[in-house]
Every structure is written in C-alpha cells, then in structure tokens.
Amino acid sequence: MEERREFPAFPYEPYSIQLDFMNALYQSLNKGGVAMLESPTGTGKTLSIICSALQWLVDKKQHQKIQMDSSSNLSGKQEDQLGVDDEPDWMRDFVINKDTKSPEKKTKEKKQMGFNKKIDRKGKRDNVRDLITNGGGKDEDTDTEKVKNLLTKHEVEGMDEEEFLVEEYESEDENGGRSKRKGGGVPVNSSSEEEKDEDNMEDEEDEARPKIYFCSRTHSQLSQFVKELRKTKFADEVKVVCLGSRKNFCINKDVLKLGSSAQINEKCLELQKSRKKEISKISKTKNIRACGRAGRSKTSSGCPMLRNHKRGKEFRSEVSQQGPLDIEDLVQIGNDLKTCPYYGSRSMVHTADLVVLPYQSLLSKSSRESLGLSLKDSIVVIDEAHNLADSLVSMYNAKITLSQLELVHSHLESYFMRFRNLLGPGNRRYIQIMMVLTRAFLQVLRNENCQSTFDPLCNAEGSKSGFESSTAINEFLFALNIDNINLYKLLLYIEESNIMHKVCGYGHKLALSVEVSGLKNDDQSSHNESALSGFQALVNMLLSLTNKDGDGRIIISRPRPKCSMQQGGYLKYVMLTGEKIFSEILNQTHAVILAGGTLQPIEETKERLFPWLPPDQLHFFSCGHIIPSANILPIVVPQGPSGQSFDFSYSARSSSVMIQELGLLVSNLVNVVPEGMVLFFSSFDYKGQVYDAWKESGIIGRIMKKKRIFREPRRSTDVVTVLKEYKETIDALSHRSSKWDPESRNGAILLAIVGGKVSEGINFSDGMGRCIVMVGLPYPSPADIELMERIKHIEGFDTSSGKNTKFQAERSWYNGDAQAGLDILKSCKHRGKQYYENLCMKAVNQSIGRAIRHINDYAAILLVDKRYTYDPSERSSSHSTNKLPQWIKGRLVSGTKNYGELQRLLHQFFKFHKGKEDNH
C-alpha cells in the first residue's frame, strides 16, 4: 500500500474523505491509465482535484529537474543510462524528446503528403463520371431557370465575378488530389480553418512539458474551477490558461450580434480569410491601389481585434502577470487592450502547465487539432463525467436540415450555371457530384421518386408516426444510388479548393443585387453566414457517411404537414459507439481521470468507452458525504394526503386524479417546509400541464399563500434571472417570524425540469433547497428515435466480438412511435434495459444532489412515486433505489404508511435544525 500523503496546498483543514480522495487521485496519476473518482456534490471535490493533481505535477517537475541536473554532469553514455529504472518512460520522454512536433506541424506535413486514407466500404468505387451522366442531366427546376435567364440577360451590376471563380483543380489520379495553386485551400472543418499570427506561434518551439487538461461541461463550471484554484498556493506556481468558445470570448460587436455560435464561428473565419487575401494581394504588387477597390467592404481587412500584433503580446504579458483568470477576466483584458481574447488565450497553451477548457474542445479530435492541443503523456481530468459516454458520441453527430439543403443546392446550381464554361474538368466534376448528393438528400426528405413500395426510405409513410425512420449507412447510400461516390476524394476537394466560400460568396453577392428564387433583399444580413453554416453541415454529414456501417445510424425526419418545408425535416447521423473515439485520447495520455458526484454503475461506462482495458488499469474510488446523517431526510412518498397512490408512469401521469393528488401534497408541504422548495418534473410539457390544471382548480392560489411560485424558463438565458429572484424572495421572506402572522409567506417554490439548466450545475445550498421533491421516475421518452437507436445498439452489442448480434437480423426501420419504442424496451433484457434505467436514476441523482453543499447544510428529499417503494429485507440489486448514491441510500425511509407520518417526520426534522440554528 502506498504511503499516505499530506497536501499542504489545501487552504482549509481537510476532512478525512477529502484526504482519501486526494490520495486516491495522486496514486492514480502515479500508476497511469484510467481512474474513476466519485465524490458527492458539496464535498469539496473541485478543490481536492486541484490540490492533488497540481501537487503531483509539481513533484514530477521537481523530479525531472533533478534528473536533468544530474545528467548534465555525466558523460553521454552515463546520461543515456541515468534514471532508466527509477523514472517512468513517459517522464523520460519529456526530457529527451525536445524535438516533439506540434499537432499543427504534423497536420501540415500530412496535408503536404495528401490524403492517404483507404476506402473500406464494400462496393464504393470511383465511378463518379457515370453517376454524373446518369444523375446530373435532369431538367432544371423553376428556380434554376430563373437564375439562368437572369444571368444570360445581363451581368449583375457591380460584381467582380472573377474573385468567385475557383482555381483549377486536378483529381487525385492526376496530381495527388491537390489544387494546382500553392498552399491548397481552406480545410473542411470550420474549427481547423483558423489563421494563427506568426507571433502567436513563437511558443511552439518550447520544450515539451507535462500538462494537466481539466475539462467540464459548462463555462460556469470552468469559472468555478478557476475561483477554487485561486484559493491555493498553486495560483502563483503554475501557468494556467482558460479556453472557451468564440461566442464566449468574442469582443467584436459586429460579429457578436449575429447571436448563434455557428454564425459567429463562420464570421470570425471569414474575417481572417479576407485578411489573409488582403495581405496576399499587397505582397504580389508594389502598387496597393492597383489591387484594391474603392468600395471595399469592412470585412476585407479582417477583424480589427487581430490587426495589432503588439497588443497581442501585451495581452499575453498581462494575463501571465495576473495569474489564473476565467473567461470573464480574459474578455475584460481583451476589451481593455482592444485585442482578441479568444486567440490570445489560445496562443498561451504551449507554455501552460494547466489548461482549463470545455468538453467539446478536448473530446473532439478536430477541435484538439485546431487548438494545437497535444495530449501526449499529459493528464486529462474530466469533471461531471456521469454522462461521458453519451456526451462523447453526441459530439460526432451530424445534422443538416431541409432548409439548409435547399439553400446549398440552390447556391451550387447558381454557381455552376454561371461558371460551368470557365471551370476546369476537375472542378466541374466535383461540383456536379455535390449537386447530385444534395438533390438525392432533398428527394428522400421530400419523399420524391421512390423506387418501389419496398424501398425502406419511402415506407415510413405507412408507419404510425409516418415522419421519422432510421437506417444504416450502407442501406442509406444504396437506396439513394450514391454508394459509388468516393466521399474521401470529394471531402478532400472541398478542403483544398475553397469551393465552400466561393459558392457561398457568389450566392451572397447575387442575392444582395437581385431577387432570386423569392429571396427578399430586406433580410440579407446573415444570408452568407447561414449559407456557410449549411455548407458546413453538408460537409459534416458527408464526413459521417465515411464511418463504418455499424458505428452509427441515419435518422430521416420528414417535415410535418403543419410545418413549412423550411422548418420541418432533416437528416441526422447519430454516432453510437464511443470506444474508438475515447481510445484516441487514452492512447496518447499518461492518465485519464473521470470525476463526478455519481459515476456508478461503472460497468456501463467501461463497456461503452474502454471495454478492452485490463482490470488493473482501471482504478475506482468512492467516498461518502461530509454531512452527518441527521442532516438529510430522504423519504419515499408512495401516496398522497387523500390516500391515492402516486403513479407517474408514462401512461398514468396525465390523469386528472394524479395531478390533483400531487397538488394536494404540495399545498400541504408548503406549510411545513421552511424557505426554499424545488419540485422536479420530467419535462417542460408535463410541468406546464400540471401548472395549468393546478391554476384552474385553485391549488396555485393555496400554494401562493405560503410560498411564491417560480418556474424554470425554457430559454437558458433567462434561468439566471429567475434564480436570482427566487433567492432574493427566500432571503426576504424566510427570516420573518410567522408567530404573529401564521398566514404570512415563508419562502418560495421553484418548478424545475430534470435534465434542465437548474438540475445541472446549479447549487441549492442552505435556504434555496430545504426540500427537493422528485415527481416520478423521469424515464426518457420512448418516442425518442435517437435514444431507441442507442438502446438497440447497447443491448445487442457483444463486447467480445464487437458486433451487434441481437438486432442485426432485423431491418429495424424504427419510426419514432412511442409504442414501437416501448416494444423495443420490452424486448431488452440486459444492457439496453440497464442503460435506460441508469439514464433515469442518473438524472434523479443529479437533481436531488444539488441540495447539500457543505457540512452544515440540511435538506429533505421526497421521492414521490409508489415505484420507489421497496421492502428493505427483499430489495433486489436491480431496484431503482439501489442506484441512489450510498450517502442517500443508507438513510432512505422506504415508505410512509400515510401522509400523517410524512408530516410528522418533516416537522421533527425541520424543528430539530431550527433549534440548532437558534442556538448558534
């Protein structure tokens, strides 16, 4: 057993469970591999991670320095032999391998060599010309004829069309898949399309050093991490950089006002691209006026926040002097210096010891490459990892809507009709291929040109829902007759030719000048950005179609009759397997730490992400809570005040009897529960249904006499405002004495959603959450077609053979009907069923765990549904309450005989703690 360590950086006297957690983490880092560390919410988990992980990093750096100092005094032979036995290989690599190339340089070298991926899909050949001949000669539709007639009559006034002409391109067979021009084009993935200042790359040559990457799901959680870091001595000892999205970092008001993340990303990249083009023009001529035009747009000279290199250096200097900073701090410095904090923070990654960043930036391969993150021999800490598997695979989903397809197809046709006689054979061929693909995708969404009644893509109309279906990749390609298109070559062409920006740029200029296909001139401000976003969505979908057939499914959602064609309908690729994605991270790093308040059951995570991992390389640690047992009162509530049993299952929850009984329960609870009370419902729709019924019956009025009611809003941007008012109301009302006025309000009640913003990362400490009420078991909807595809995959997946064995004999054209989903669930006996139940209980645990935040906090937790009831002597391992955290499960009251008993337990509990507070 390893010697227990002390952690002097911990700013307070640590509790025993905190010491246990820090020692478990330190030992896991020494061993390497994967560790899963579970510590309940409110136990100081973040601070424990900081003090243990950074202590390990400092110790390793000191050890490394000693080794380097010793080796400098030895001969070359002795130097080679030093430390072989007493130092891990990964640490010696950091000393020896000073010439390690950055991910950007490796990517650049790979691009210079060209694509060398092999096509592994059976039947895919380079028969593109045949496909074009057969599929590209159809009559043009009305919109295309309109464009053609317009362009043949006259050129659009004021347009310099030469700038939109794509440069000559030779196919892979002719020139290795490269454009004839030097330097290639803009990469396929938006996130990797970024220009980096030469000064920003000056740190790239720094000696390789071990790093810790800490990632969590939200920016607010990352800010909380930085605040905790500031409490420790490491704030002055390690170099820290915080990364985030452009939307959170951008200080260019013209870009920020676009609103959506996708449009902000595209606009940022477009500004840099125009800046690069302007610099290129200047370098090609001595006379700047000869290459510039008087009517140049604002974007042609790039983003004003990136023009001044000196300010970029000032930004890095200022950040280095101030120590650990969160995103808000970095944005403030960027505003003060008038320089981009997004690229400023990115330029500091190479010299950082600790990188704090969101999930997407670390877990997505394309994001890692664009940010220049090297995970080699580093430490990755993933916080809030309870749903890691689902979060990871969802990052590799791809979706394109019907409206995006129509816009991209229209742009491609307009561009092709105008420039077809000026394009070389390579460009003509690939543009026609894209038109064939977009036309095929449009036809399947519009349900056009079905080959036969046996065509699975057309049979969804006969289903109960009639609008959603799913299929495997190969079936999708064969059904659309596009299986012989070489998608790898096409993606390479899009990457190298810059066709995406050429087509969208021409379409944007055309739309600004004339009315094309009914598009009005008064709504053009974001037209180009939406076209680029649509084109990128197409690229992402095509990239997804290059995955192996069993790795995911294609969802086909046709527009509903009541929806306009532009609003309804989409194609979506749903990634189902995460083990290969996770292995890319695990194979590079020294250790991966999965931390969270509730990680069990760990078997599910292991099977989905690293089934190959030997048992001795997976370390698991779980600790209890710091609060005494008397500070929590979890109770199963199987029936209401009138004796009606609670059953909030999918088929029974909407009955008026059930809704009214719940109202009676809540209207009674508000009389005994002090301060704040939070009710969690399974969905926004059900919460709305309950609220409307209570309002009509007068229950809302009864509740309002004791507590003011707040409701979680659908828009996440409004959550902060609602929570602020909720807290202020509690602070104002809860401390009034009710002895002289029994009718006075005693606090507030919040109606929240399981899985919503309130249940994820919001803390209801002290008076904000004296009682948490979980209404029913929040199982996900069986009508969720993506969920059912995941369940089928998990249930039938044989980890030993790597094949889906149970459902492979079925065509399984699941149509998104709730009953069909229930039938799938009934057929699941093992992993799929466990996964579905785990989703429910993880959501429960996340919600009820928000109430206890420190050792003196206290709260009651009510599980309202008869399905929570169990016999303590006979409770099976599969029962839902066995999936509760140990610190709750060990104190759970299995069920009350009647409401009177519940009232008595609650009254005693709150009276006891009120007395303790009065004594203090």
Side-chain angles (χ1 to χ4, degrees), residues 266 404 500:
E266 293 294 349
Q404 287 177 320
M500 184 161 64

Side-chain angles (χ1 to χ4, degrees), residues 587-705:
N587 291 340
Q588 296 179 63
T589 56
H590 166 66
V592 176
I593 307 298
L594 309 183
T598 308
L599 297 180
Q600 299 190 64
I602 63 172
E603 292 77 15
E604 177 198 314
T605 302
K606 183 178 184 300
E607 288 177 356
R608 294 185 65 192
L609 293 183
F610 35 87
W612 69 88
L613 195 69
D616 61 340
Q617 290 189 33
L618 175 61
H619 321 295
F620 178 73
F621 170 83
S622 180
C623 64
H625 212 294
I626 57 176
I627 62 167
S629 58
N631 283 29
I632 181 173
L633 179 62
I635 306 175
V636 173
V637 183
Q639 57 190 8
S642 66
Q644 174 67 44
S645 293
F646 283 125
D647 179 8
F648 293 98
S649 59
Y650 187 77
S651 58
R653 67 184 184 184
S654 296
S655 73
S656 58
V657 173
M658 205 59 54
I659 291 175
Q660 290 305 309
E661 190 71 15
L662 178 63
L664 289 176
L665 173 67
V666 175
S667 59
N668 278 276
L669 290 175
V670 295
N671 292 305
V672 67
V673 175
E675 303 180 280
M677 184 172 164
V678 184
L679 263 72
F680 281 105
F681 293 89
S682 57
S683 68
F684 278 103
D685 289 341
Y686 186 58
K687 182 197 73 172
Q689 181 183 357
V690 170
Y691 184 86
D692 292 342
W694 286 357
K695 189 174 183 179
E696 185 177 347
S697 64
I699 289 176
I700 290 295
R702 292 172 57 183
I703 295 173
M704 289 282 284
K705 289 181 180 180

Side-chain angles (χ1 to χ4, degrees), residues 369-387:
E369 290 177 347
S370 72
L371 291 169
L373 304 183
S374 173
L375 301 185
K376 181 174 172 56
D377 297 327
S378 291
I379 305 301
V380 170
V381 180
I382 303 174
D383 197 17
E384 300 294 330
H386 54 281
N387 284 327

Side-chain angles (χ1 to χ4, degrees), residues 838-862:
N838 290 342
L839 281 177
C840 171
M841 291 310 298
K842 283 180 180 179
V844 170
N845 294 337
Q846 276 295 111
S847 301
I848 64 179
R850 314 316 305 177
I852 304 296
R853 304 303 305 167
H854 55 83
I855 194 169
N856 294 318
D857 209 353
Y858 63 93
I861 298 173
L862 307 184

Side-chain angles (χ1 to χ4, degrees), residues 75-119:
S75 66
K77 182 176 180 180
Q78 291 172 324
E79 182 178 340
D80 290 341
Q81 295 174 346
L82 182 65
V84 170
D85 295 326
D86 60 355
E87 187 177 35
D89 291 343
W90 71 274
M91 281 300 300
R92 290 199 305 277
D93 289 343
F94 276 113
V95 180
I96 297 169
N97 190 13
K98 296 184 180 181
D99 296 323
T100 302
K101 296 179 181 177
S102 69
E104 294 96 327
K105 287 191 174 182
K106 292 179 180 178
T107 303
K108 186 176 181 181
E109 290 177 1
K110 287 180 181 178
K111 287 186 177 181
Q112 290 172 350
M113 296 172 65
F115 251 42
N116 58 2
K117 291 186 178 180
K118 294 183 179 179
I119 300 166

Side-chain angles (χ1 to χ4, degrees), residues 18-38:
Q18 291 171 333
L19 282 172
D20 292 342
F21 183 94
M22 288 187 283
N23 273 283
L25 175 54
Y26 195 97
Q27 292 166 16
S28 297
L29 294 179
N30 271 337
K31 295 175 182 176
V34 182
M36 300 179 70
L37 307 180
E38 185 180 67

